Amino acid sequence: MTWGLLAIVLGVSIGGVVFSFLLARWVLKHDAGSPEMQAISLAIKEGAEAFLRRQYKTIIIISLPFALLLFVGYGIIRGHKEFDPVASALELAFWIALSFIAGAISSLIAGYVGMWASIRSNIRVAAAAARRSLPDALKIALRGGAVSGIMVVSMSLLGIGGLFILMKFFSTADPIKIPLLIVGYGFGASFVALFAQLGGGIYTKAADVGADLVGKVEAGIPEDDPRNPAVIADQVGDNVGDCAGRGADLFESTAAENIGAMILGAAMASKVAGSELSWVVGVMLFPLVARAFGIIASIIGIMLVRAKSNDDDPMRALNKGYYVSVFLAMIGFFIASRWLLYHPSYPTAWINFFLCGVIGVLTSVAFVFITQYYTEDRYRPVKEIVKSSYTGPATNIITGLSVGFENTALPAIAIGVAIIASYYLGRATGLPDAGLFGTAVATMGMLSTAGFILAMDTFGPITDNAGGIAEMSHQPAEVRSITDKLDAVGNTTKALTKGYAIGSAGLAAFLLFSAYIDEVRNYGVELKAVDISKPEVFVAALIGAMLVFLFSGLAIRAVGRAAYYVINEVRRQFREKPGILQGTEKPEYGTCVDIVTKGALKEMIIPGLLPVIVPTITGIIFKLVGLGAESVASLLMVGTIAGILVATVFNNGGAAWDNAKKSIESAGQKRTEQHKAAVVGDTVGDPLKDTAGPSLHVLIKLLSTVTLVLAPLFI
């Protein structure tokens, strides 16, 4: 049975990789537009590839010493313990370090694929719009995004499944203890994803802020105007932040949550008296099988998305595909639950677990509606920001902050309901520790359509770039109207996928925290509760909350520093080359691209290292008083809660500011005082929603994977 399940997992994941290549070939067959379009697209492509080369070189330089430290820490400093999953300290060190390297490499590839697909799809979407065909442009944009979406979730599954087989053949570990060796894979993926998301976020927002403040506010020229020296850097930023960064982000999400669910599943099933090993392994591999069915569902949903005419609403077409994917994923979830979670002594338990998966899906839908309410200009929150813009930037910022803080309530309630409902559904089965596994299954349900979600996320920057290419190549108004329509939908999908990411992070946080407690138990420490009345444990909790705010402050300041150089460069070019604004001289685009690249890579290092260094030092220090494992659990718990809430403030608050500005622009009020106030508010929101907020998603899960990997060092 084990080999049959692994064959399904590997077969579907390899099929997903092949499907991504076929989609990429399909996209590349389409018209690449006029020579003017191609020249702009080439500049974006060269800038994005140059940034990623330099960023990846920096990440590799940082990652290799960590792999070495893991090996030395496990193999030499800590030594072998009798409860370890393998026979020697060196073997444990080898597998943990190997899985870390595999996760890091896979995450780098996932990010690169996202960027590669985007910079080749944007020009083809613009060319389709130039032919006056919204249906073609929509299909190319989504399928271009799906190259990344399906590749990311398939590679995540392939990496975990491949490592499981490798360790089953060559390690001395019991099969149900193998997930404890694979935790390094999640750590490596999270480690790389944080730098990819943070560096890309700093880049994209520094360029955006610089382009907007000098171009729109000071020079009074439109967005994406080719006279703006920072416009190419701004377009590059969409690819390295929203595509490469988000690809690595969702890759590590699926990897870490699969591993956490496997640990909890194995722990639960192994405690059921008289159970056969094949059933225990089946429960452990359930998350991978359920994710495989989700890949198939996402592929079908993506292929069904189409618009019939230029008058169709692209968002409605995307929603239809999403709901088809959800429906098919739930059918797959039902099959996997009945097949792998059925036990003759607990004949109805699988039904409860299936319902936990349904709760996860409903939670994701709830987050979609909550995000829409707080970020779309049809509803009260954004309308209030628009209204406040008429009295200046100060009131715009005050109202935007109030919306950001207010919008934490509904997501917190939704996460709370999902965790409690799935926990008690699992507990009602009567299986040991089934409540925790129920929350893990809910997380699997929420992530079942991750392939489609990531395709919609990458759809956003592709359509944004397509609009920029159309504007900069001076396409007719009818062409720009098509790209604007797609770009507006892209802004919505980006906001929705951030809401989805926060929801999944919330469920996953409890899952991974539970996995940490269970791993500590496997290593010989029975941690039944975290006692915050102990001063060491309380201080660790305080450090966890502080880490979120310190990280956010450094990330936001990094955008401000990098933007400072961009703004000065754009002003210099306008001052020294007056012909730029008159259209008689060409701006120096490459100079701005180079400035932002250097600034982003320099500024990402310190905040990127914090989530690894802080919990490690905390655990080692408090280990001296016998509270290492419990103190780290406290840091993880409180840091995660703070991270979820702060990320919600940043993501939806920033998106609300952005859409308030767009609402004023769509009303024909550009260059008015209220528009300038809205641009200032949007500029404040930019580093929140596109740098600090998305990076906090990764930080939440990096804290969990760091503690999972380093748990033995705290005992």
Side-chain angles (χ1 to χ4, degrees), residues 212 217 385-386 388-390 392-393 396-397 656-665 672-685:
D212 279 0
V217 177
I385 298 175
V386 170
S388 69
S389 300
Y390 286 84
N396 172 285
I397 292 170
W657 264 313
D658 189 1
N659 284 336
K661 178 201 70 175
K662 286 183 169 62
S663 178
I664 290 172
E665 290 175 345
T672 61
E673 290 304 311
Q674 57 266 33
H675 180 240
K676 289 181 180 179
V679 169
V680 172
D682 177 41
T683 303
V684 172

Side-chain angles (χ1 to χ4, degrees), residues 339-358:
W339 179 24
L340 299 176
L341 302 182
Y342 174 81
H343 192 284
S345 300
Y346 304 88
T348 61
W350 71 272
I351 298 175
N352 285 34
F353 289 128
F354 167 68
L355 292 176
C356 290
V358 172

Side-chain angles (χ1 to χ4, degrees), residues 420-452:
I420 291 173
S422 58
Y423 179 86
Y424 281 101
L425 268 173
R427 187 171 165 180
T429 63
L431 289 160
D433 292 337
L436 296 179
F437 187 64
T439 63
V441 174
T443 307
M444 293 298 102
M446 192 165 190
L447 289 168
S448 59
T449 53
F452 194 99

Side-chain angles (χ1 to χ4, degrees), residues 9 19 60 73 567 659 674 683:
V9 169
F19 175 78
I60 290 168
I567 290 169
N659 284 336
Q674 57 266 33
T683 303

Side-chain angles (χ1 to χ4, degrees), residues 108 122 136 280 362 394 435 533 603 627 689:
L108 289 171
N122 53 18
D136 283 353
V280 176
L362 293 178
S533 67
E603 298 290 343
L627 292 171
K689 71 180 175 66

Side-chain angles (χ1 to χ4, degrees), residues 9-25:
V9 169
L10 293 183
V12 172
S13 55
I14 292 170
V17 172
V18 171
F19 175 78
S20 295
F21 278 114
L22 294 176
L23 269 189
R25 286 183 59 188

Side-chain angles (χ1 to χ4, degrees), residues 78-308:
R78 175 178 175 268
H80 180 64
K81 308 291 184 184
E82 61 180 17
F83 44 76
D84 283 351
V86 289
S88 71
L90 286 177
E91 184 183 359
L92 181 62
F94 171 78
W95 289 118
I96 294 290
L98 178 67
S99 59
F100 173 86
I101 293 170
I105 292 172
S106 299
S107 190
L108 289 171
I109 294 171
Y112 181 79
V113 167
M115 183 276 296
W116 186 94
S118 177
I119 59 179
R120 286 162 176 79
S121 302
N122 53 18
I123 180 66
R124 289 163 174 83
V125 173
R131 296 194 303 271
R132 316 293 198 275
S133 176
L134 184 141
D136 283 353
L138 171 66
K139 191 182 293 185
I140 294 168
L142 181 65
R143 293 187 179 181
V147 172
S148 171
I150 300 300
M151 177 69 83
V152 163
V153 292
S154 299
M155 279 183 55
S156 170
L157 208 57
L158 186 61
I160 295 173
L163 280 172
F164 189 95
I165 291 174
L166 193 66
M167 293 176 185
K168 197 170 188 305
F169 270 119
F170 297 106
S171 79
T172 59
D174 185 300
I176 62 173
K177 295 290 183 70
I178 287 178
L180 298 176
L181 302 180
I182 301 178
V183 290
Y185 188 80
F187 180 28
S190 299
F191 187 80
V192 166
L194 183 62
F195 285 103
Q197 181 67 74
L198 183 60
I202 293 169
Y203 183 106
T204 184
K205 288 303 105 181
D208 193 10
V209 168
D212 279 0
L213 285 184
V214 185
K216 286 184 179 180
V217 177
E218 294 182 10
I221 58 178
E223 188 171 3
D224 297 330
D225 193 300
R227 291 173 293 175
N228 193 327
V231 72
I232 292 294
D234 188 12
Q235 299 293 329
V236 169
D238 292 329
N239 295 287
V240 300
D242 289 337
C243 296
R246 197 85 76 251
D249 177 1
L250 284 185
F251 175 84
E252 65 87 18
S253 293
T254 55
E257 284 141 32
N258 277 337
I259 294 166
M262 290 172 73
I263 290 172
L264 292 176
M268 180 196 76
S270 61
K271 293 178 182 177
V272 178
S275 295
E276 296 180 359
L277 179 62
S278 61
W279 182 76
V280 176
V281 174
V283 174
M284 181 178 63
L285 294 179
F286 167 79
L288 303 187
V289 175
R291 184 58 49 78
F293 287 142
I295 291 174
I296 297 171
S298 295
I299 288 173
I300 294 171
I302 287 163
M303 297 307 291
L304 291 178
V305 171
R306 62 190 70 244
K308 295 179 181 178

Side-chain angles (χ1 to χ4, degrees), residues 439-505:
T439 63
V441 174
T443 307
M444 293 298 102
M446 192 165 190
L447 289 168
S448 59
T449 53
F452 194 99
I453 292 293
L454 184 53
M456 284 207 299
D457 189 64
T458 311
F459 173 93
I462 289 173
T463 54
D464 191 354
N465 269 196
I469 291 169
E471 175 77 26
M472 295 174 69
S473 60
H474 306 292
Q475 296 299 310
E478 313 89 79
V479 175
R480 186 66 205 219
S481 69
I482 292 175
T483 58
D484 282 349
K485 198 171 183 180
L486 292 172
D487 187 21
V489 171
N491 284 327
T492 301
T493 60
K494 284 192 290 185
L496 295 182
T497 49
K498 285 173 187 170
Y500 172 89
I502 279 291
S504 66

